[in-house]
Amino acid sequence: MMIGAVSVCSITNQTMLLNYGIRATVPYDFTSPSLYQKGIYLPCKLHAKNPASRNLIFLFGSQRGNLSLKTVLCAVPNEQDDSERWVSHHFADDSVVIYPLDNENSQDPGFTSQLQSGPDIHPTFMSQGNQESLLDKLKAIQLHVLAMEQWNASRLKMCHGNYLVSATNLIHYLALKSLDIEQIKEELSSLGLLNLETINPYVLSSLSACIQMLSNSKSDSVHGLKSSGEVLPIHKSLQNQTNGDLAIAAMMKRASSNRNLLLGSLKGQRGTHIMVTVGQEVVDNDTHVAGLIEAGATIFRINCAHGNPDIWNEIIRRVKQSSQILEKPCRVLMDLAGPKLRTGKLKAGPCVVKISPKKNAVGSVICPAKVWLSPQGGGLPPPHVSPDVILHVDGQELLSNLEVHDSVRFCDARGKRRTLRILRKYPIFSGVGFMAECSKTAYVESGTVLRKKEKRRKSSVGFVIDVPPAEQFVRVRVGDLLILSRDSSDEVDESTSSSIGSHRITCTSGYLFDSVKPGDPIAFDDGKIWGVIKGTSISEVIVSITHAGPRGTKLGSEKSINIPESHIRYEGLTSKDLVDLDFVAGHADMVGISFVRDVHDIVVLRQELAKRKIWNLGVILKIETKDGFENMPLLLLEAMKSPNPLGVMIARGDLAVECGWEKLADIQEEIISICNAAHVPVIWATQVLESLVKSGVPTRAEITDAANGRRLSCVMLNKGKHIVEAVSTLDTILSGKYKKAKAELKPLLLSSHVY
């Protein structure tokens, strides 16, 4: 009698996907002679000694294809790290009953306390490595995948009909990932067959197709077995599944449908959406949204952590208006603020802007500062123009009389006389804008008088308006002490520092002060600043700065705070989130759920959506914590219980700080793989083309990083000075407009000769 084995496990303690204590009907025929001609052992990547894993071993006995009653032994470490033993029997009706077995009172005659390696059970997966067993190995994997699906039947039944097929494929993917299949991947690759790394969106169909291909092969060098003409029950069952909803074509159509339902369809050769974060600058500029849409933006993101409903409503109105005028569909995503830790607001600085020409080492001016002059609401300068300072002017008479080479005189905030020389004029949405230059440093504030002196005529006059407050910040250096205070009355600037090398800033979230302890590392502004907590109290946390820039690093208002090693228990949706959700439901197409950590967060969200009867609002799960990453399979399965369109955003900023920079690349690849298996669209966020957005010049690494976005559903850009130019560049990259270079190389290759 020969013995075969199949193992099934779940991924982590949190992702326990196997339903114990139930009677699971097995939909396939265990009597296939080819399966039991030699034993196959499939080891899981996680082991029973690890309390975070669950490992089931099925043992089947066969004598010429006839099954006899055999015991199935399962070691399940419980929360106390004790080994609980489970036992099951295989019966004639092809079903398995699994139940716990008490170690001391066991009356089962077939129970054995440990597994003994028989002569046909191998210690490593596919150790023989010969081509004769390749077909058997794939069939064993197939059975393993089907077993995982059956054991999660009750969980799958709770998924909404829109996601049942996708959830089933996700279970198949998790089953495949639980196995050590490195050797079989090499064997398949050497034969030019299936690539197990690329079958995530259609696992079962791909396995079945490969098995069918090997079975139909006339060459017996592949599997060394003569295929039987008999059609077994397992084949009938698989044919029904792989020719229906689980077929490769159906799976691809499902993934495309889910993407279009959430993000909208795209026209042209670009297959990836471009999302842009917008804020107050849209309200201040009538043409900003239109410029972004023309450049290629299709989704606009509003962060509910900033602004208020009046500002959000105006942004959405302008997006919809510009979208209709340009006849280019756009959607709106609103991110709920969530329980994110942030620095408090610093006291607003003076409403003054500095004009600074570039100087060399000895202080001589080498390049005058470029200044853009336009009427109020006139909009930003053209994308190819990059001014250093933008000034809005109230004075139609002055602007209408300005010509190229004219001089505009003014006295700055210090009383210094300065001159702007007009270089060029540009037509803009609300009139004309001017590019001017200034060769001396000047400080311009709201109310500054601008004059154009004219011969024999009264001087034309205008006034500078709407100069924003200067951004206040605390500049911290390595070795400095930073005091985080709960008291909002401490919203002051750096000038109130108690001593040199000591700074104070607020954080109004009580989570921080209630959960941290001395010795915990802490990061600010997406990891630009790091420190170690030296002391805590009810109202203050003292931090010693351990990492900052050589000349110090600015820490401003509302910057992120991360404490990777703490166990802060956040509430899923804050009271502010619930209020904002009412606005989002009535105005936006999608809602972003920040800092999702566990299933409870999704349950609360589903309850709130059901309470408001919101079934069409898209839901974006933002993965930005270690817990969120580790619980992703369960988060997706829980979210799939609702009919709402579903997506995932990889928030690389917080995720890198929480999990470690060196792990980010592997983590984001794993998130993409899981989402591909679940047919859930992925949004790639944080620092995409950041140098281009801020300075107008991208780095080489940013270009290749952005090109990787072609395989995703959406790429997000943050707002910045050169955002329109960045969107246009990203549109070119994602469209692959320069792929034609390959076609241009073809004639060259064909005409080359080898001598």
Side-chain angles (χ1 to χ4, degrees):
M1 179 174 66
M2 311 302 291
I3 297 179
V6 179
S7 68
V8 181
C9 79
S10 66
I11 304 304
T12 68
N13 204 18
Q14 299 261 338
T15 58
M16 184 57 182
L17 298 176
L18 304 181
N19 298 317
Y20 297 111
I22 64 172
R23 185 177 185 276
T25 301
V26 182
Y28 43 78
D29 182 16
F30 284 103
T31 63
S32 174
S34 62
L35 181 61
Y36 298 104
Q37 286 190 3
K38 49 174 65 74
I40 297 177
Y41 173 61
L42 306 178
C44 295
K45 292 183 178 179
L46 303 178
H47 305 288
K49 292 182 180 180
N50 186 346
S53 67
R54 303 290 188 267
N55 195 24
L56 294 179
I57 305 295
F58 292 88
L59 298 180
F60 305 106
S62 175
Q63 292 179 338
R64 298 185 181 274
N66 297 321
L67 285 177
S68 59
L69 179 62
K70 285 296 171 183
T71 301
V72 179
L73 176 63
C74 171
V76 183
N78 59 21
E79 296 179 357
Q80 288 76 33
D81 291 343
D82 299 327
S83 179
E84 299 175 355
R85 287 185 292 185
W86 297 61
V87 65
S88 71
H89 292 297
H90 184 277
F91 295 94
D93 62 348
D94 285 344
S95 63
V96 176
V97 177
I98 305 175
Y99 56 89
L101 179 67
D102 183 68
N103 294 346
E104 298 179 358
N105 301 321
S106 173
Q107 302 297 324
D108 185 87
F111 179 83
T112 56
S113 60
Q114 59 182 355
L115 290 177
Q116 298 292 335
S117 297
D120 295 295
I121 299 181
H122 306 289
T124 59
F125 182 35
M126 326 302 192
S127 62
Q128 294 184 12
N130 51 49
Q131 294 183 6
E132 288 88 8
S133 64
L134 182 57
L135 182 59
D136 291 339
K137 297 170 186 177
L138 288 175
K139 286 184 177 180
I141 294 175
Q142 187 184 58
L143 295 181
H144 170 73
V145 168
L146 289 168
M148 179 73 91
E149 176 188 339
Q150 289 301 311
W151 284 359
N152 289 280
S154 60
R155 186 183 297 275
L156 292 173
K157 287 180 180 178
M158 290 188 289
C159 293
H160 191 271
N162 294 348
Y163 293 109
L164 181 57
V165 173
S166 300
T168 302
N169 190 71
L170 175 59
I171 297 295
H172 294 166
Y173 167 79
L174 296 175
L176 183 65
K177 290 291 288 185
S178 70
L179 301 177
D180 185 6
I181 54 176
E182 290 301 319
Q183 186 172 351
I184 195 173
K185 285 197 297 186
E186 295 177 2
E187 293 182 39
L188 290 169
S189 177
S190 66
L191 296 174
L193 296 177
L194 187 68
N195 183 355
L196 296 180
E197 293 292 336
T198 61
I199 67 172
N200 300 348
Y202 25 76
V203 175
L204 185 59
S205 296
S206 298
L207 288 173
S208 301
C210 189
I211 290 173
Q212 189 66 36
M213 183 184 300
L214 290 173
S215 299
N216 295 338
S217 175
K218 295 181 180 180
S219 171
D220 49 1
S221 63
V222 178
H223 48 76
L225 296 174
K226 184 176 181 180
S227 299
S228 171
E230 180 183 2
V231 180
L232 297 175
I234 183 175
H235 296 151
K236 294 180 180 178
S237 175
L238 287 173
Q239 286 175 2
N240 293 334
Q241 295 186 66
T242 55
N243 292 331
D245 291 338
L246 295 179
I248 293 179
M251 290 287 198
M252 295 176 65
K253 185 177 180 180
R254 173 68 62 180
S256 177
S257 174
N258 289 347
R259 180 182 66 248
N260 293 339
L261 192 63
L262 177 72
L263 304 174
S265 58
L266 280 172
K267 298 179 180 179
Q269 59 189 39
R270 199 182 83 198
T272 303
H273 285 270
I274 296 177
M275 179 185 296
V276 179
T277 301
V278 292
Q280 179 67 41
E281 72 280 359
V282 170
V283 179
D284 298 336
N285 187 340
D286 292 334
T287 63
H288 188 51
V289 171
L292 291 172
I293 295 176
E294 287 279 19
T298 54
I299 302 174
F300 289 84
R301 170 181 173 264
I302 300 173
N303 190 348
C304 292
H306 309 289
N308 55 63
D310 292 335
I311 295 176
W312 305 336
N313 190 62
E314 180 61 19
I315 293 174
I316 294 172
R317 186 191 68 80
R318 297 194 179 194
V319 168
K320 292 182 177 180
Q321 182 183 57
S322 299
S323 175
Q324 291 176 355
I325 293 175
L326 297 173
E327 297 183 347
K328 293 185 177 182
C330 293
R331 298 198 175 185
V332 175
L333 163 67
M334 296 189 70
D335 277 356
L336 300 181
K340 184 172 184 175
L341 299 177
R342 294 181 181 273
T343 58
K345 291 185 178 180
L346 294 170
K347 185 178 180 180
C351 296
V352 62
V353 61
K354 182 180 180 182
I355 300 176
S356 300
K358 292 182 175 62
K359 300 180 180 180
N360 60 16
V362 296
S364 300
V365 175
I366 58 176
C367 182
K370 299 294 188 296
V371 181
W372 174 259
L373 300 175
S374 67
Q376 185 179 17
L380 296 175
H384 62 281
V385 177
S386 301
D388 299 303
V389 175
I390 296 177
L391 297 179
H392 296 295
V393 180
D394 180 12
Q396 186 60 38
E397 180 185 2
L398 172 66
L399 295 174
S400 60
N401 291 331
L402 283 179
E403 299 293 340
V404 176
H405 304 309
D406 283 348
S407 295
V408 177
R409 295 178 174 84
F410 66 95
C411 290
D412 74 353
R414 304 167 299 169
K416 302 288 186 181
R417 294 183 178 180
R418 296 292 183 258
T419 301
L420 294 173
R421 190 170 71 90
I422 305 300
L423 299 177
R424 193 170 179 181
K425 58 192 302 186
Y426 296 89
I428 57 176
F429 181 76
S430 59
V432 179
F434 301 87
M435 181 62 73
E437 67 177 11
C438 184
S439 300
K440 294 184 179 181
T441 301
Y443 293 85
V444 181
E445 57 186 353
S446 294
T448 298
V449 180
L450 303 178
R451 289 187 174 88
K452 176 192 173 185
K453 190 173 181 180
E454 301 183 35
K455 296 180 179 179
R456 301 178 184 179
R457 290 180 59 185
K458 185 178 179 181
S459 299
S460 300
V461 177
F463 301 90
V464 176
I465 58 174
D466 298 336
V467 176
E471 180 184 359
Q472 296 295 86
F473 57 86
V474 172
R475 185 179 293 276
V476 296
R477 298 173 174 81
V478 174
D480 286 355
L481 291 180
L482 179 64
I483 302 173
L484 297 175
S485 173
R486 191 197 295 255
D487 187 0
S488 60
S489 64
D490 289 330
E491 295 179 357
V492 293
D493 59 26
E494 189 180 6
S495 63
T496 61
S497 299
S498 57
S499 61
I500 297 177
S502 176
H503 313 276
R504 181 180 294 271
I505 200 167
T506 63
C507 176
T508 57
S509 174
Y511 298 117
L512 173 69
F513 303 93
D514 299 336
S515 305
V516 298
K517 61 184 183 299
D520 284 347
I522 184 171
F524 301 90
D525 197 5
D526 287 341
K528 293 183 177 68
I529 302 169
W530 282 86
V532 176
I533 295 176
K534 291 297 184 181
T536 63
S537 68
I538 297 176
S539 59
E540 289 185 346
V541 172
I542 301 176
V543 178
S544 176
I545 303 301
T546 58
H547 174 80
R551 298 182 179 179
T553 302
K554 298 178 181 179
L555 179 60
S557 303
E558 298 184 341
K559 298 301 181 181
S560 63
I561 301 176
N562 297 89
I563 313 170
E565 297 183 8
S566 69
H567 299 284
I568 301 177
R569 298 308 305 169
Y570 300 96
E571 55 182 320
L573 293 175
T574 66
S575 56
K576 180 183 185 307
D577 291 338
L578 296 178
V579 173
D580 292 343
L581 183 60
D582 292 327
F583 180 91
V584 174
H587 296 80
D589 303 292
M590 296 168 279
V591 59
I593 311 302
S594 302
F595 292 91
V596 178
R597 284 174 168 79
D598 53 36
V599 173
H600 175 71
D601 296 341
I602 307 300
V603 172
V604 172
L605 173 65
R606 288 179 51 242
Q607 292 172 348
E608 294 299 329
L609 292 177
K611 187 187 302 182
R612 294 165 173 79
K613 297 181 179 180
I614 305 171
W615 310 118
N616 296 322
L617 182 68
V619 174
I620 306 293
L621 306 182
K622 297 179 64 178
I623 306 301
E624 42 198 333
T625 65
K626 184 177 180 180
D627 289 341
F629 165 66
E630 292 179 345
N631 294 328
M632 263 204 68
L634 283 182
L635 295 176
L636 292 176
L637 289 172
E638 185 66 31
M640 287 178 174
K641 294 178 181 179
S642 297
N644 299 75
L646 180 63
V648 166
M649 178 184 289
I650 306 177
R652 300 189 294 180
D654 287 292
L655 196 59
V657 176
E658 291 280 338
C659 300
W661 307 101
E662 68 283 358
K663 300 177 183 177
L664 179 61
D666 291 333
I667 287 175
Q668 70 180 17
E669 288 303 315
E670 184 62 27
I671 293 175
I672 293 171
S673 295
I674 292 174
C675 290
N676 285 342
H679 307 146
V680 171
V682 178
I683 301 170
W684 205 348
T686 309
Q687 293 185 324
V688 177
L689 295 179
E690 184 178 34
S691 297
L692 176 57
V693 171
K694 291 184 176 180
S695 67
V697 180
T699 66
R700 278 69 171 172
E702 285 179 347
I703 296 298
T704 54
D705 176 61
N708 282 328
R710 293 173 183 169
R711 59 198 176 103
L712 304 176
S713 300
C714 182
V715 175
M716 190 188 86
L717 295 173
N718 285 324
K719 55 187 176 181
K721 183 178 179 182
H722 302 275
I723 182 60
V724 176
E725 181 182 352
V727 171
S728 179
T729 301
L730 184 58
D731 174 66
T732 301
I733 294 172
L734 296 178
S735 299
K737 294 179 180 178
Y738 291 95
K739 285 185 177 180
K740 63 180 182 180
K742 296 181 180 179
E744 294 171 356
L745 286 175
K746 186 176 180 180
L748 177 64
L749 294 174
L750 292 176
S751 63
S752 62
H753 300 281
V754 179
Y755 296 97

